[in-house]
Amino acid sequence: MSHTAFSGLEFLDDAVIAVAADGTLVYVNPAATDLLCLRQDDLGMTLAACLEPHSPIVSAVITACTENISITEHELLLATNHGDVYVTLTA
């Protein structure tokens, strides 16, 4: 998605995903596509449809959206194609 709100995020080494309030993916940067095996084709799909539904990322984002809260520096252990990875989530 080429949108000025996401300008420059493609250059970060950190994985960045943006999810709408309804849970649909609106942006993924290259680091997120690599780490989470996401594709630009996944934009518009729900995060749960793109990742495993029981993924800790999905659970945290659903909680943040449904309860209208923010999550800052929440550490998660993810199983990825690169092995187990600790990530810090801000939602």
Side-chain angles (χ1 to χ4, degrees):
M1 175 181 222
S2 178
H3 189 280
T4 57
F6 306 118
S7 179
L9 295 178
E10 68 272 13
F11 300 113
L12 294 177
D13 290 333
D14 296 329
V16 176
I17 61 173
V19 180
D22 64 358
T24 58
L25 224 74
V26 294
Y27 176 80
V28 294
N29 74 345
T33 60
D34 183 47
L35 178 66
L36 302 172
C37 298
L38 295 170
R39 303 179 322 262
Q40 291 297 316
D41 295 344
D42 293 332
L43 297 179
M45 297 174 59
T46 64
L47 190 59
C50 298
L51 301 175
E52 292 184 23
H54 301 292
S55 165
I57 290 179
V58 173
S59 298
V61 170
I62 288 173
T63 298
C65 290
T66 58
E67 296 182 18
N68 197 28
I69 61 172
S70 62
I71 298 170
T72 305
E73 296 188 14
H74 184 72
E75 293 195 8
L76 304 172
L77 176 63
L78 297 180
T80 70
N81 288 346
H82 304 288
D84 289 346
V85 176
Y86 281 98
V87 297
T88 302
L89 172 75
T90 301

